[in-house]
Every structure is written in C-alpha cells, then in structure tokens.
Amino acid sequence: LVSTRCTSEMAQASTIGFRFERALSRARARVGSRDTSSARLRALAHRPVPRSLGGEKRGNAVRISASAGALESSPFRMIVLRHSDSCTQDADLRDHDRPLTSWGRTAAAKLCSELVDKGWAEPDLVLCSASTRSRETLGEMVRTHAPLGKAETHFMGSLYAFAAMDGLTADHLRETVAGLVEREGGRDDRVRTVMVIGHNKGWEEAATDFAGQTVKLRVANAALLEFAGEGAGTWAEAFDQNAWRLTGVAKHGLREPEKECETEFGGDGDGPMPMPA
C-alpha cells in the first residue's frame, strides 16, 4: 500500500513538473509582449488538462451534474475565487490538507450569499483546487446555495501547484478552461460562466492579468470578470483577446480575522509549495 501510494505521488509530481517546465517556456517566450496568437490558444485547447482526485469515473473528472448553461448571447464570465480562512494549530498537518476554520466556514457562506445577490452564483463549470480548504470552501457555498451544486465540477491538483509559480497561473487557467470546454465537444455555447477556486499568490496574479489592473484577493474574496471584447465565439478566442472587465470584487462582509495563517512556507499561509506537498 505504501509503495503504491509513493509511486502514485511520484507520478503526479513528475506530471506537474513537466507541466511547469512547459508553462515556464511559454512564459519566457512572451516576455515583453502580452499578445498571444489565436493559433497558439487553439493549440492549447487540445492539450490534456489535469484530472481530478476521485469521484465519478469519467477520466478523473468529478461530474456533479451538467447545468443547463446560458444562452449563447450572454457574455463569457469568470469568477476567480480565493478559498476561505484555514488556520490550524496542527504542526503535523500538510499545507495541502489544512481545513477551514469556523470563521472560514461562515465567511464562505457569506461570500456565497453576496454572489447570489449579484447574480454570479450559478456557474456552468467549476474548477476547484484539490486542497482541503478549497474543497471545503466550495462545500460551504453549495450548502448556502444549492443550485451551485448543479455545475459540472472538477477538483484539480494543478490549481494548487501552479498558484505558487510566479506569473504562470493565468496561462494555466486559460489553457485548462479552453481545453476542457473544447475537448468535450465544443460546449462554448452553454459554458458561459466559469468559477475557479484556488490560492494566492497565483489567484491575485491571474485576476490582475485578466483585468489589466491590480486586484487584491483576501480569503473568501472573488474577482468578477466579464468578457468585454468583440466577436469571440469560444473561450479560446476570448482568452486570445484578453479583454476582460472587472465588474467588482465580491467579499464576505465580515470583520477580518486578526491575522491570516502563517506556515513554515512563509507568507500568509496560502502559498502552496512549488510541488504538491
């Protein structure tokens, strides 16, 4: 059993290491220019995306259920959501496995209520980091607003790993969203709103990249982005234009905890290791 587990973890680490090198090469290639070609993004859309951990066996994707989707005329929208608070006193617990605090559960529910009020609580597709705190954030939100549970949902280890890598998260989200939608039959006409749940520093970097302005995300905050370009019929084309408008940052509305978690990895306790712990 131990040998099997080690082999599995080594294989996962090798896969994410390869994806990191590939993403790093892409980032270096575009230094000095924010432009990306349509051909490049269409090629990215056909690449395999990370699989989730467990759940109904469709690859490794977890299909909660497919939502009815939205009309093709509605704009593409993204919800870039940072998980809720997850401080812990258990020094033996891996960063990846830290659960939400009681305050964090309340904050996740309050954030969901704010998204409901703003009309942003029923995405067609949810991509969630496989970390415990991200899963539990989504769980609290579904308990608050059951229709959120109807979205097609994937739990992905790569969202945890890439969030720690300088300047690579936005490209990874572009590749993963466009690739997943197109790989499963070109569903751009009904997948109009995507929620991505993960970690800083990558989530702030990605939201800032998409919005073209500085975006700050504390725990249980979500950047609400709407495509503001023209003529994009697919997610790949929308990402190609990179013309996103920040409509606002949804917040939980609670008094912030005295301080966010601090771990041996530094920062605010939100930074996962460059490789999954």
Side-chain angles (χ1 to χ4, degrees):
L1 178 61
V2 173
S3 176
T4 301
R5 180 180 178 183
C6 289
T7 301
S8 176
E9 291 185 353
M10 289 174 64
Q12 183 182 28
S14 177
T15 299
I16 292 181
F18 169 75
R19 293 177 60 79
F20 166 68
E21 291 297 336
R22 185 178 63 185
L24 185 59
S25 296
R26 291 199 307 272
R28 285 172 176 164
R30 66 186 182 90
V31 169
S33 172
R34 293 175 60 87
D35 295 333
T36 54
S37 67
S38 297
R40 171 180 172 274
L41 282 169
R42 282 194 292 270
L44 289 177
H46 291 286
R47 293 182 181 176
V49 297
R51 302 292 192 168
S52 65
L53 307 179
E56 180 183 332
K57 294 299 183 180
R58 187 179 179 217
N60 287 321
V62 177
R63 181 178 293 277
I64 292 178
S65 69
S67 66
L71 297 176
E72 187 173 356
S73 59
S74 63
F76 293 113
R77 303 196 303 175
M78 283 193 298
I79 305 162
V80 182
L81 190 156
R82 183 182 171 193
H83 66 79
S84 199
D85 183 65
S86 60
C87 288
T88 179
Q89 300 300 317
D90 187 350
D92 295 326
L93 196 63
R94 297 191 312 167
D95 177 77
H96 186 279
D97 298 333
R98 288 194 283 115
L100 294 185
T101 61
S102 177
W103 184 95
R105 293 182 182 280
T106 301
K110 292 290 188 180
L111 172 62
C112 186
S113 295
E114 177 70 7
L115 291 174
V116 171
D117 290 344
K118 292 179 178 295
W120 286 72
E122 297 182 19
D124 306 296
L125 177 67
V126 177
L127 306 182
C128 182
S129 164
S131 71
T132 299
R133 56 192 181 274
S134 299
R135 288 174 177 266
E136 291 186 350
T137 296
L138 177 58
E140 292 299 322
M141 294 175 67
V142 170
R143 274 186 281 276
T144 301
H145 185 61
L148 176 58
K150 297 179 181 180
E152 179 181 328
T153 299
H154 298 256
F155 297 102
M156 307 177 73
S158 67
L159 300 185
Y160 174 83
F162 270 80
M165 302 176 187
D166 288 332
L168 299 182
T169 302
D171 269 352
H172 181 60
L173 292 177
R174 291 183 182 103
E175 172 184 352
T176 303
V177 172
L180 183 60
V181 172
E182 185 164 330
R183 187 189 64 188
E184 297 192 7
R187 302 169 301 156
D188 303 85
D189 60 334
R190 68 180 183 87
V191 178
R192 309 301 287 187
T193 300
V194 175
M195 176 183 286
V196 291
I197 303 175
H199 311 260
N200 274 353
K201 59 190 169 179
W203 255 234
E204 282 187 343
E205 289 180 347
T208 295
D209 184 299
F210 292 136
Q213 65 186 79
T214 301
V215 178
K216 294 294 184 183
L217 296 175
R218 295 184 64 84
V219 290
N221 283 186
L224 310 180
L225 297 155
E226 187 171 278
F227 179 66
E230 296 181 356
T234 67
W235 279 94
E237 290 170 353
F239 286 134
D240 187 13
Q241 292 187 37
N242 203 36
W244 298 91
R245 178 172 62 90
L246 180 69
T247 70
V249 175
K251 301 180 180 180
H252 49 73
L254 301 175
R255 181 178 178 180
E256 297 288 346
E258 292 186 4
K259 70 173 182 177
E260 296 182 15
C261 226
E262 294 182 358
T263 72
E264 61 182 310
F265 306 132
D268 61 5
D270 192 41
M273 294 292 285
M275 298 294 288

